[in-house]
């Protein structure tokens, strides 16, 4: 493997000599026009053109990377075939081959595992000297720095840091509310009243009680569960400044008690656990879904899609109903950043690769990452980048339209919420504004790093607890079991599977996180 790479490098070097030679002659002749191959001197990283091998799975377009190459003289070549659909398999095959490309874009957690074995470079050892833009960003964002720092204190991967405060929000059939003379629910009691009215008063006007008042994609009822003052999964409980788990608390018992009652009364999708990810298409498209909790950008598309099919269809974003303590807040939050570049320890271009990662934190790098190439994907209007009409009218989803041009790929960089905003439908913009202006949004949870030993415990014990929790939740909501009767046994069973040990591991990791953050 190594040998093959050397041979390729030698061939490349021969090509490079030609390139750098013509580069010299250009410098002497100032009349030569700049071509697309001429590096922009201000951001040039290397005198000779360097091509880094890149491992990138998922939709990948090279337009943006080519422009970065023109500016930096560092180009990337994605070695993953476009036909690859199984990212995990591709990653494992790549690792097993022993030939790790110079740059690898993959999940931080997986990168870390291989980094402990020496496959990837500890980036923190280079950042001070070679990456001023990254250093500045991490110094200004100690919480983000702590979230990407491994349990051993090193940074092995720098993700695409997410931007924007909003994630999911509540959506309701405003035209149904109007028809029934109701207002959007602002408390848990009002939520019950509205869902009950949707169920019993035939808002779709077909003479049958076929309405499904509340539904949610992906077997998840956090939209309602969170109204009992808890969040999904492991999270920081602010009053105790420690990590707790949402389904391991008395509040959760209360939430499930209420939801199972609502389920019995037909207020919750009867197929909540089996309907799958197409719940919105199915239930909104058939004019029977009333309310949900989901992502702004995608949920807002249905007004446009269904306006000719369902008269008066208006699926509108509304403020979260206050929780049982009267607090109005949104439980979902964006992640800090889950995937970005790592640098192979075998790379012959480690320093160049790190400088290249730093370019994506510079001003032109950040613009390129979020908006693409000026003149091609966007133009400046009053000094601000605005996507071209041609590009915005793409029939592809935002993510596909972007990725196929190489915009907002999982590089080491920072996402820009304004770019996303330009793609949002009016109802999504309205929703995002409602949630941001009123400060409903939750902050991202810290991303924690575990030692190999801790990971071993989590992978066995947590899997068992998680499976059991999901199983019990379904039984309770579907009315097969009674949550109040089962509760003590449920807690004891979680404990016997290792829940206390799991929480201790999480809190140890959280302590390390806080230490990095306060450094
Ligand atoms: Ca009906």
């Amino acid at each position: 493997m190594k040998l093959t790479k050397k041979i390729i490098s030698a061939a490349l070097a021969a090509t490079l000599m030609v390139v750098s030679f013509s580069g010299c002659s250009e410098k002497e002749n100032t009349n030569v026009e700049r071509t697309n191959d001429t590096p922009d001197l201000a951001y040039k990283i290397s005198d000779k053109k360097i091509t880094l091998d890149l491992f990138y799975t998922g939709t990948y377009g090279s337009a943006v990377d080519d422009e970065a190459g023109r500016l930096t003289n560092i180009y990337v070549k994605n070695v993953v075939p476009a036909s690859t659909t199984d990212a995990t398999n591709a990653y494992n095959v790549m690792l097993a081959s022993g030939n790790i490309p110079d740059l690898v874009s993959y999940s931080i957690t997986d990168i870390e595992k291989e980094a402990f074995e020496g496959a990837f470079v500890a980036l923190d050892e280079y950042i001070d000297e070679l990456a001023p833009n990254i250093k500045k960003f991490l110094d200004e964002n100690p919480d983000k720095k702590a979230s990407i720092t491994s349990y051993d204190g090193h940074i092995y991967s720098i993700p695409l840091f997410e931007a924007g405060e909003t994630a999911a929000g509540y959506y309701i059939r405003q035209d149904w509310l109007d028809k029934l003379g109701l207002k959007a629910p602002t408390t848990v009691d009002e939520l019950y009243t509205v869902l009950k009215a949707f169920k019993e008063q035939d808002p779709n006007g077909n003479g049958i009680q076929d309405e499904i008042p509340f539904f949610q994609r992906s077997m998840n009822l956090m939209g309602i569960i969170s109204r009992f003052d808890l969040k999904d999964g492991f999270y920081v409980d602010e009053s105790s400044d420690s990590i707790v788990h949402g389904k391991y608390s008395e509040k959760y018992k209360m939430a499930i008690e209420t939801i199972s009652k609502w389920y019995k009364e037909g207020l919750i999708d009867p197929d909540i656990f089996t309907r799958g990810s197409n719940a919105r298409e199915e239930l909104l498209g058939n004019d029977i879904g009333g309310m949900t909790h989901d992502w702004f950008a995608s949920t807002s598309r249905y007004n446009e899609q269904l306006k000719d099919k369902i008269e008066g269809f208006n699926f509108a974003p509304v403020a979260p109903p206050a929780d049982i303590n009267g607090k109005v807040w949104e439980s979902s939050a964006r992640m800090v950043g889950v995937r970005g570049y790592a640098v192979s320890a075998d790379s012959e271009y480690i320093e160049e690769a790190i400088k290249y990662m730093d370019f994506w934190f510079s001003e032109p790098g950040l613009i390129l990452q979020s908006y693409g190439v000026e003149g091609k994907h966007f133009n400046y209007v009053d000094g601000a980048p605005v996507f071209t009409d041609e590009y915005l009218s793409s029939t592809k989803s935002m993510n596909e339209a972007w990725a196929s041009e190489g915009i907002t790929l999982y590089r080491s960089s920072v996402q820009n919420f304004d770019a996303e905003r330009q793609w949002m439908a009016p109802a999504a913009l309205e929703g995002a504004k409602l949630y941001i202006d009123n400060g409903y949004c939750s902050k991202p949870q810290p991303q924690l790093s575990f030692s190999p030993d801790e990971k071993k415990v989590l992978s066995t014990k947590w899997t068992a607890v998680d499976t059991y929790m999901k199983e019990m939740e379904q039984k309770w909501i579907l009315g097969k079991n009674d949550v109040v009767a089962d509760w003590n046994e449920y807690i004891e069973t979680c404990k016997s599977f290792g829940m206390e040990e799991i929480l201790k591991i999480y809190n140890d990791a959280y302590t390390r996180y806080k230490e990095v953050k306060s450094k």
Side-chain angles (χ1 to χ4, degrees), residues 202-211:
D202 192 27
N204 67 4
N206 64 353
I208 27 175
Q209 278 194 11
D210 56 347
E211 285 81 359

Side-chain angles (χ1 to χ4, degrees), residues 160-179:
L160 173 60
F161 288 103
E162 298 207 9
E165 295 168 62
T166 60
Y170 292 82
Y171 275 76
I172 197 163
R173 283 290 297 268
Q174 183 62 47
D175 53 324
W176 285 9
L177 287 175
D178 296 344
K179 203 168 170 182

Side-chain angles (χ1 to χ4, degrees), residues 106-250:
Y106 209 65
S107 92
I108 285 198
T109 332
D110 288 289
I111 291 283
E112 194 182 68
K113 212 168 100 200
E114 306 313 320
F116 296 155
E117 312 277 322
F120 297 107
V121 168
L123 299 167
D124 48 289
E125 290 171 357
Y126 297 85
I127 287 173
D128 280 1
E129 205 155 318
L130 302 177
N133 296 305
I134 294 177
K135 180 175 162 37
K136 183 167 181 280
F137 180 84
L138 295 181
D139 285 348
E140 287 169 357
N141 296 279
D143 52 331
K144 293 188 168 71
K145 184 180 181 180
S147 272
I148 62 164
T149 301
S150 271
Y151 92 101
D152 64 0
H154 288 299
I155 294 173
Y156 297 108
S157 171
I158 294 177
L160 173 60
F161 288 103
E162 298 207 9
E165 295 168 62
T166 60
Y170 292 82
Y171 275 76
I172 197 163
R173 283 290 297 268
Q174 183 62 47
D175 53 324
W176 285 9
L177 287 175
D178 296 344
K179 203 168 170 182
L180 302 178
L182 293 166
K183 285 211 164 66
T186 62
T187 62
V188 175
D189 285 346
E190 286 179 19
L191 178 59
Y192 175 77
T193 309
V194 163
L195 297 179
K196 194 81 175 165
F198 279 2
K199 182 70 200 168
E200 294 176 344
Q201 298 178 29
D202 192 27
N204 67 4
N206 64 353
I208 27 175
Q209 278 194 11
D210 56 347
E211 285 81 359
I212 293 177
F214 193 95
F215 64 96
Q216 218 175 311
R217 281 192 298 168
S218 313
M219 313 192 296
N220 182 330
L221 277 170
M222 280 317 290
I224 300 180
I225 294 176
S226 65
R227 298 307 89 192
F228 291 79
D229 186 26
L230 59 97
K231 289 182 186 173
D232 203 6
F234 294 96
Y235 66 94
V236 177
D237 171 61
E238 275 163 27
S239 62
S240 62
D241 195 24
S242 65
I243 304 270
V244 298
H245 191 277
K247 297 186 175 177
Y248 193 61
S249 72
E250 285 285 327

